[in-house]
Amino acid sequence: MTELIPRPRDVVADSGEVRLTAHSRLCAGSATEGVGHWLRTVLREATGLPLREGREPDGTDGDGIGLRLGPGLGPEEYRLVSDRSGVLIEGGSAAGVFWGAQTLRQLLGPDAYRRAPVNRGRTWAVPHVTIEDSPRFPWRGLMLDVARHFMPKEGVLRYLDLMAAHKLNVFHFHLTDDQGWRVRIERYPRLTDVGSWRTRTKFGHRASPLWEEKPHGGFYTQDDIREIVAYAAERHITVVPEIDVPGHSQAAIAAYPELGNTDVITASGTGSTALSVWDSWGISPNVLAPTDNTLRFYEGVFEEVLGLFPSEFIHVGGDECLKDQWRVSPAAQARIKELGLADEDALQSWFIGHFAKWLSARGRRLIGWDEILEGGIAEGAAVSSWRGYGGGIAAARAGHDVVMCPEQHVYLDHRQADGADEPVPIGYVRTLEDVYRFEPVPPGLDASAARRILGTQANIWTEVMEDQARVDYQAFPRLAAFAEVAWSALPAPADRDFADFGRRMSAHYRRLDALGVAYRPPSGPLPWQRRPGVPGRPLDGPPPNR
């Protein structure tokens, strides 16, 4: 019963239990009907119990489940009471009720996560307990890169379920990059007709001599996106799309060459008018041209994106934009002079600032990686701080909202151990305990700046993750530790009780088994999880804590 992840704020246990039977009813009060439909569906699948609809919850059924809004509770706060009257979940909003329902599912045991009953004769019981709980941060995110390796729609929906099970509520959907464009834009069909697939793929780190010599690609139709967004909303998850500008754009330039710096030649000797979707990893030198044509093109892209994603924030990337082409492009240099800008960094700031104003005029907000600070950050823009804490600290002190996702701590593509069997080892060793001791709010921020930290996010970059099983391996079990960091009010990193978390994880592994998650076992990778002979890019020693 106390083996809950994330750890609740307050738990008071009592003797006794509520047994669910064929006569038990589930009642969803006003404004909680959607949660009731979700909970009834998953519990019917797992238990085989009918859980028929009941009357307005009044706490008198004895073996039933009631859901309702509770006065005085915060938006995502919930109270779960299991006693002789039955189970009652109250929330400050439907979202709070939903997170309480996720806790109820954990209390029922690992088999509550299965799609069909494995033992129809078993007893389903909820221990008598009172749980009061609320999240530390409003932004508890997971970024999934589907541009490097495409994840079909069913896999994305599955990850939304996994996020919900861990009380994560922001899905950062990385849809475009040099290696692929994954969302259909009706007015620009070549973005997916051409930009969604590449002829071959580097296997391993970019220095690897290995290639997968077959086409790779895929994209989501607009109806696919609508389905994903609706599925997420039912689970109280906001989908934040990322459309990369002005760097990480080779797939778009391959589809529409006029978007590139057509008056210069790349270092490889390939003209930007003859590009293909990139088949390797790293940072492409081919970036968008700072022209009015490019701005109008991407305004058209974002118009369709806004119609698909109702999120307040729209992510525009802004990271790792190599400026070599702009430095030697007569057209780019003329634009710098025309605008009265100091240099190429200021040109990128102008580019990002244009879309910050464009989005703001439409009631949305721009968020970008911390490089958008260089050359000056647009008013109202928010920052995803990935190159350590520094960018986020600077942004917060300047009055900008921040999502903390420093690479050294919560990039889940980094390796989990230093053993030779670790598949395609990338970056620093980041163990389960390392992630558990990550602190999103750095020391030294005053109260005003600290309030600018919206929350935190774990990022999964998929260059070396060729399929869903590899994504599972890199994400879990570390995503469970991250979820507790994002949700629970934990003590300072050095004072966190990792032994207690490990005890609770012993139960949580059984939940992950029931969900079919191909996590990394505590003892190390299983034989089929290894990738012998596929080189990575391991970095030795502790990561810099900057």
Side-chain angles (χ1 to χ4, degrees):
M1 184 276 301
T2 57
E3 297 164 338
L4 299 172
I5 291 177
R7 190 183 75 182
R9 185 181 70 220
D10 292 301
V11 178
V12 178
D14 200 354
S15 59
E17 61 185 19
V18 174
R19 293 195 175 189
L20 302 182
T21 71
H23 303 290
S24 297
R25 294 183 178 271
L26 192 158
C27 174
S30 177
T32 71
E33 294 89 351
V35 181
H37 174 75
W38 173 85
L39 183 59
R40 183 177 290 109
T41 299
V42 296
L43 293 188
R44 278 176 172 173
E45 288 179 347
T47 67
L49 299 175
L51 294 175
R52 297 179 181 89
E53 292 186 25
R55 60 186 181 275
E56 186 73 18
D58 59 9
T60 61
D61 285 346
D63 64 351
I65 300 170
L67 311 176
R68 71 185 182 194
L69 301 185
L73 297 176
E76 292 190 278
E77 189 174 8
Y78 71 88
R79 181 187 303 112
L80 185 155
V81 178
S82 169
D83 59 20
R84 286 175 292 181
S85 299
V87 179
L88 178 64
I89 301 172
E90 296 179 296
S93 69
V97 176
F98 183 73
W99 304 131
Q102 292 289 354
T103 297
L104 172 62
R105 199 179 184 191
Q106 289 197 20
L107 291 171
L108 284 166
D111 286 345
Y113 290 84
R114 297 193 179 274
R115 298 286 186 89
V118 295
N119 183 354
R120 287 189 176 271
R122 66 161 292 172
T123 297
W124 293 96
V126 182
H128 284 176
V129 65
T130 298
I131 297 174
E132 295 184 336
D133 200 9
S134 60
R136 179 184 180 191
F137 294 110
W139 186 302
R140 307 180 300 281
L142 174 69
M143 192 286 304
L144 180 63
D145 166 25
V146 296
R148 274 49 176 270
H149 278 101
F150 179 66
M151 181 177 284
K153 180 192 69 178
E154 287 302 318
V156 174
L157 299 179
R158 173 178 176 265
Y159 258 82
L160 291 170
D161 279 328
L162 292 174
M163 288 179 63
H166 293 83
K167 299 186 173 72
L168 299 174
N169 70 339
V170 178
F171 179 55
H172 176 167
F173 206 7
H174 184 81
L175 288 163
T176 73
D177 218 296
D178 299 310
Q179 296 85 2
W181 185 287
R182 304 296 180 211
V183 56
R184 182 73 173 179
I185 303 298
E186 298 298 347
R187 73 187 71 185
Y188 303 128
R190 286 177 59 84
L191 286 172
T192 44
D193 292 347
V194 173
S196 70
W197 68 278
R198 54 185 182 262
T199 57
R200 64 175 186 168
T201 299
K202 176 68 70 173
F203 193 31
H205 182 252
R206 62 179 174 271
S208 167
L210 305 175
W211 295 89
E212 187 177 40
E213 297 285 355
K214 68 178 183 180
H216 177 87
F219 66 91
Y220 309 103
T221 68
Q222 294 204 352
D223 279 346
D224 289 338
I225 294 294
R226 293 183 184 100
E227 181 183 356
I228 288 167
V229 169
Y231 194 87
E234 289 174 351
R235 287 147 183 79
H236 299 275
I237 295 171
T238 298
V239 183
V240 175
E242 180 177 353
I243 306 293
D244 259 307
V245 296
H248 287 288
S249 298
Q250 185 165 322
I253 298 169
Y256 291 92
E258 66 271 20
L259 297 174
N261 296 280
T262 56
D263 57 347
V264 298
I265 304 298
T266 65
S268 65
T270 302
S272 61
T273 57
L275 292 174
S276 59
V277 178
W278 207 18
D279 57 12
S280 191
W281 316 126
I283 307 174
S284 170
N286 295 290
V287 302
L288 297 175
T291 64
D292 288 341
N293 174 68
T294 301
L295 296 181
R296 300 294 87 76
F297 183 97
Y298 272 86
E299 286 171 2
V301 169
F302 282 118
E303 281 179 7
E304 294 194 25
V305 167
L306 296 190
L308 296 170
F309 297 93
S311 55
E312 175 187 3
F313 288 99
I314 303 294
H315 209 293
V316 302
D319 61 314
E320 297 179 327
C321 179
L322 298 181
K323 310 207 171 48
D324 298 345
Q325 287 186 341
W326 288 354
R327 291 188 183 98
V328 298
S329 163
Q333 290 301 308
R335 195 69 194 250
I336 290 173
K337 184 176 180 181
E338 172 197 339
L339 295 169
L341 301 175
D343 54 20
E344 292 77 20
D345 284 343
L347 183 62
Q348 174 166 329
S349 177
W350 164 82
F351 197 107
I352 297 294
H354 172 87
F355 287 104
K357 292 173 185 160
W358 188 91
L359 289 167
S360 178
R362 288 153 182 82
R364 307 297 186 94
R365 292 182 64 190
L366 179 145
I367 185 170
W369 302 109
D370 56 58
E371 285 93 333
I372 69 172
L373 290 162
E374 297 166 4
I377 183 173
E379 183 180 354
V383 170
S384 300
S385 187
W386 76 274
R387 295 179 298 177
Y389 289 109
I393 291 170
R397 286 175 173 166
H400 292 269
D401 290 335
V402 175
V403 176
M404 280 293 185
C405 47
E407 176 184 15
Q408 309 93 315
H409 299 281
V410 290
Y411 268 37
L412 301 185
D413 48 311
H414 281 216
R415 58 192 175 133
Q416 302 184 65
D418 59 3
D421 288 334
E422 208 63 32
V424 200
I426 298 295
Y428 296 101
V429 172
R430 293 287 83 192
T431 65
L432 182 66
E433 182 172 357
D434 290 330
V435 174
Y436 190 66
R437 296 194 188 281
F438 163 60
E439 172 50 48
V441 180
L445 288 183
D446 62 26
S448 176
R451 283 194 294 271
R452 288 291 184 175
I453 309 299
L454 296 177
T456 183
Q457 180 173 289
N459 295 340
I460 302 176
W461 300 102
T462 62
E463 288 93 335
V464 300
M465 298 177 216
E466 70 276 11
D467 55 30
Q468 179 179 283
R470 281 286 291 123
V471 175
D472 279 6
Y473 179 91
Q474 293 299 134
F476 290 97
R478 293 183 296 180
L479 193 63
F482 172 81
E484 183 149 312
V485 169
W487 177 277
S488 306
L490 299 176
D495 298 327
R496 293 176 188 173
D497 190 347
F498 181 70
D500 175 71
F501 178 77
R503 180 188 63 78
R504 288 180 285 124
M505 273 303 302
S506 65
H508 199 66
Y509 283 119
R510 297 196 295 276
R511 298 180 191 122
L512 297 179
D513 287 333
L515 286 163
V517 177
Y519 59 84
R520 181 189 188 275
S523 58
L526 298 167
W528 54 87
Q529 293 174 318
R530 300 167 189 162
R531 295 293 183 274
V534 182
R537 184 182 64 92
L539 298 174
D540 294 329
N545 191 25
R546 59 180 187 271

